[in-house]
Amino acid sequence: MTSISVPTTSALRPTQLIPATHPAVSKTLHRLSRPSLLSLVLDWLDERNQENTAPYLLSSDDSFDEQDTYPPASSLPALREVYTELLAKKGSKRDVVDRIVEGDWRDGISLYQLAMADMQYLYDHPTSQKWTALKIVRLSPSEDKKPPSIPRFHPATFLQNLQREVLPGVKAHYNLDRHATLPLLVLRIFILESPYNTTLALQGKQKVFDSSKTFYVAFPDSSPYVCVSLAAPTVPGGTTDNKSLRKLMLEGIPKAFSKPRERYNLESTTLSARNLDALVEQRGGGRTNAAGGGWSVYVSDSKTTGNPLNIQQPTPETSVPQEEPEEPTSLGMKRKRISDASILKRRKLLAASRFGSTALPNDGKGIERLDIQIQDTFPSPAPVEDEDLWNSDPSPTSNQRKRGRRSTLNFEGGDQEEVQAEGWRPDVRITFQGQHVFAGLRKLVEEGVVDGQMMPGWMTGEEGVSLGVVREGRIRGFKGSGV
């Protein structure tokens, strides 16, 4: 009898099987290294996961096939011993994948197993996703004087409420996992464009399991922030439907937190990075949220950092001489003097006073990009010379107008610059990019390239943003985020 698929509003079950010959299965498993793949298989063989990850075992009624390349094991401990021996010896990753697909899980891989493989890849490659921190704010009327509260996060209730926000023609699979090293929960969401939650809906060969249909949401412990990875990778032949589905899921997150007479919304924090540790440091539940840069010494419990709030202060450093000015050479070019130990020590002390215990090269909490737009008032022009008074036409000549290259940033604003009452504010944009932006700036201060005394505070990372606008020397929130 032919089976009939009936549309449903329920989510995809974790036990839903994907054919072992599906290209997405082989692609997902091949992304992992051999030791990581074998460690994942041992997790599949754990007694607690057998409801969703049960392998193919030889039962008493089945006959043994001598031509089988990978004969099935008779029991779960025997199969676990096989993979433990493979982990102890060297070999090819392809052989392990073939044994999984053609042997021990020949009946298919469940959605739960595929989610575990994706999470394993995320742990092995922490910078594979670009994370954006969003703040959970309460939508309360103006007359409500109750203090802002953090919504209570109960995983089962949250997922049930989130499923209600999914469109009827879309199915989703949710997998919640506790991060191994960070104090947060990671939610993996897989979206399927089908009204059915059957195996037949998962057997599509094209664009069913592409990376644009999977994204992650991180929930730091005791924090009013969530971190989302919504930057969809470029998929050949992809459409804008995936982006719309991801946007709908993002809009459903604050609705899943909400309850009667207590509604929430997501607000931008202008902080994005590929390093999840950096976002937890700046938007987690600890004391480092508003203590970046030199202010980090006030939240440190280490005795070596010299917290000013400690009762017993360490012995102060001996004063060192000021750095001598540069000496011009005979050709008029400047050449730095050979720096001695005292000058190098002074630069490092200056960098430590501006950056505190942050921006260290190997701290693993760096951001890769810092975009700053400076909107300070342009300094007043110099006094007019006597020879300029004889020039009756202050406008530039035709030759002067042709000099230089026209900027494309203000092309839509017209030919004339906008002059405000308080003065002209040029549009200056600065981008710092690297593996650890603030660690690089700290190194420049230690090398004497950047003046540590005159540099603004936003160059030390004390604002805790990766995108901001500077007016009057201070960072302001981008698009009204209110940082």
Side-chain angles (χ1 to χ4, degrees):
M1 182 177 179
T2 306
S3 59
I4 300 176
S5 299
V6 179
T8 178
T9 57
S10 61
L12 293 172
R13 300 186 303 273
T15 56
Q16 202 74 44
L17 291 180
I18 307 168
T21 57
H22 198 284
V25 174
S26 178
K27 180 181 179 181
T28 303
L29 297 180
H30 274 289
R31 290 199 307 170
L32 302 176
S33 62
R34 187 177 183 274
S36 181
L37 180 59
L38 290 173
S39 177
L40 175 66
V41 173
L42 291 177
D43 290 338
W44 290 352
L45 297 176
D46 193 279
E47 294 286 351
R48 297 168 295 181
N49 297 327
Q50 290 309 298
E51 183 179 355
N52 301 320
T53 63
Y56 178 79
L57 299 176
L58 183 64
S59 61
S60 57
D61 300 334
D62 296 338
S63 59
F64 179 75
D65 189 3
E66 297 181 355
Q67 297 182 355
D68 197 345
T69 307
Y70 302 100
S74 58
S75 62
L76 193 64
L79 186 58
R80 192 182 299 116
E81 184 178 356
V82 171
Y83 282 97
T84 304
E85 294 177 356
L86 290 176
L87 184 61
K89 64 176 68 172
K90 296 182 180 180
S92 174
K93 180 175 64 175
R94 181 180 295 273
D95 296 337
V96 179
V97 175
D98 292 343
R99 181 180 182 89
I100 294 174
V101 174
E102 301 176 7
D104 300 324
W105 280 273
R106 64 189 70 183
D107 291 339
I109 302 293
S110 65
L111 287 176
Y112 181 71
Q113 291 176 274
L114 205 65
M116 291 180 66
D118 281 345
M119 294 300 299
Q120 185 68 33
Y121 181 81
L122 180 63
Y123 296 149
D124 295 342
H125 303 82
T127 59
S128 60
Q129 299 288 331
K130 185 176 182 180
W131 301 88
T132 301
L134 301 174
K135 185 177 182 179
I136 307 174
V137 295
R138 183 180 178 184
L139 297 178
S140 57
S142 58
E143 61 272 8
D144 189 1
K145 298 182 180 180
K146 293 179 60 177
S149 60
I150 301 177
R152 185 180 181 89
F153 178 68
H154 188 268
T157 305
F158 177 83
L159 294 180
Q160 185 178 3
N161 295 337
L162 185 61
Q163 178 60 30
R164 295 191 186 130
E165 304 299 330
V166 179
L167 296 176
V170 177
K171 294 294 168 287
H173 174 255
Y174 310 99
N175 182 73
L176 199 62
D177 192 18
R178 184 74 182 179
H179 200 281
T181 58
L182 297 177
L184 52 82
L185 291 172
V186 181
L187 174 63
R188 174 190 178 270
I189 303 178
F190 165 70
I191 305 174
L192 177 64
E193 298 180 58
S194 175
Y196 311 104
N197 61 350
T198 59
T199 304
L200 185 61
L202 298 171
Q203 292 180 358
K205 294 295 182 181
Q206 297 179 354
K207 302 179 183 179
V208 175
F209 292 95
D210 56 20
S211 54
S212 62
K213 297 182 184 296
T214 304
F215 66 97
Y216 303 86
V217 183
F219 301 91
D221 296 345
S222 304
S223 174
Y225 298 93
V226 295
C227 304
V228 297
S229 64
L230 292 178
T234 303
V235 179
T239 61
T240 58
D241 295 340
N242 296 337
K243 187 176 181 180
S244 301
L245 293 176
R246 297 159 75 96
K247 184 179 179 180
L248 289 174
M249 295 299 297
L250 178 62
E251 294 175 352
I253 292 177
K255 297 178 182 178
F257 277 116
S258 302
K259 57 185 179 180
R261 296 181 299 277
E262 190 172 331
R263 303 295 178 181
Y264 295 93
N265 194 15
L266 293 181
E267 200 174 74
S268 174
T269 62
T270 65
L271 179 60
S272 300
R274 289 188 174 274
N275 194 347
L276 193 56
D277 297 67
L279 269 67
V280 175
E281 181 76 9
Q282 298 291 339
R283 298 293 186 267
R287 297 183 297 172
T288 58
N289 290 350
W295 304 100
S296 59
V297 297
Y298 288 93
V299 299
S300 177
D301 296 330
S302 176
K303 297 181 180 180
T304 59
T305 56
N307 191 335
L309 302 179
N310 290 338
I311 299 178
Q312 297 180 354
Q313 294 294 331
T315 305
E317 298 285 346
T318 57
S319 60
V320 294
Q322 298 289 329
E323 185 175 357
E324 297 182 5
E326 298 173 347
E327 179 183 14
T329 61
S330 58
L331 299 178
M333 300 177 64
K334 293 183 178 180
R335 181 180 60 189
K336 286 185 177 294
R337 293 178 179 271
I338 300 177
S339 301
D340 54 9
S342 60
I343 295 178
L344 293 177
K345 185 176 181 180
R346 176 184 174 274
R347 292 174 181 171
K348 290 185 177 181
L349 290 176
L350 180 59
S353 64
R354 294 304 307 272
F355 291 90
S357 59
T358 63
L360 299 177
N362 299 323
D363 59 359
K365 301 175 182 178
I367 65 174
E368 304 80 21
R369 187 182 178 95
L370 174 64
D371 294 306
I372 297 296
Q373 181 182 7
I374 300 179
Q375 295 182 353
D376 288 338
T377 307
F378 196 77
S380 59
V384 181
E385 300 293 340
D386 295 339
E387 58 184 15
D388 294 337
L389 298 176
W390 297 95
N391 187 6
S392 58
D393 186 11
S395 62
T397 61
S398 59
N399 293 334
Q400 292 176 342
R401 291 177 182 174
K402 295 180 181 179
R403 294 178 182 177
R405 182 179 179 181
R406 188 175 185 179
S407 175
T408 58
L409 295 176
N410 299 324
F411 183 79
E412 299 179 356
D415 295 334
Q416 297 181 355
E417 298 288 349
E418 182 182 359
V419 179
Q420 302 178 359
E422 66 273 11
W424 177 48
R425 296 182 182 271
D427 187 7
V428 181
R429 302 171 187 266
I430 304 176
T431 299
F432 301 92
Q433 193 168 359
Q435 294 182 353
H436 197 328
V437 170
F438 295 116
L441 292 174
R442 179 169 184 162
K443 185 65 175 178
L444 292 178
V445 173
E446 294 177 353
E447 296 294 335
V449 180
V450 176
D451 190 351
Q453 293 181 346
M454 301 299 296
M455 66 183 297
W458 54 265
M459 291 183 65
T460 64
E462 64 183 30
E463 299 291 345
V465 296
S466 61
L467 178 68
V469 178
V470 176
R471 291 195 76 171
E472 309 301 335
R474 299 293 300 273
I475 282 281
R476 294 182 179 272
F478 184 73
K479 293 184 179 180
S481 62
V483 178

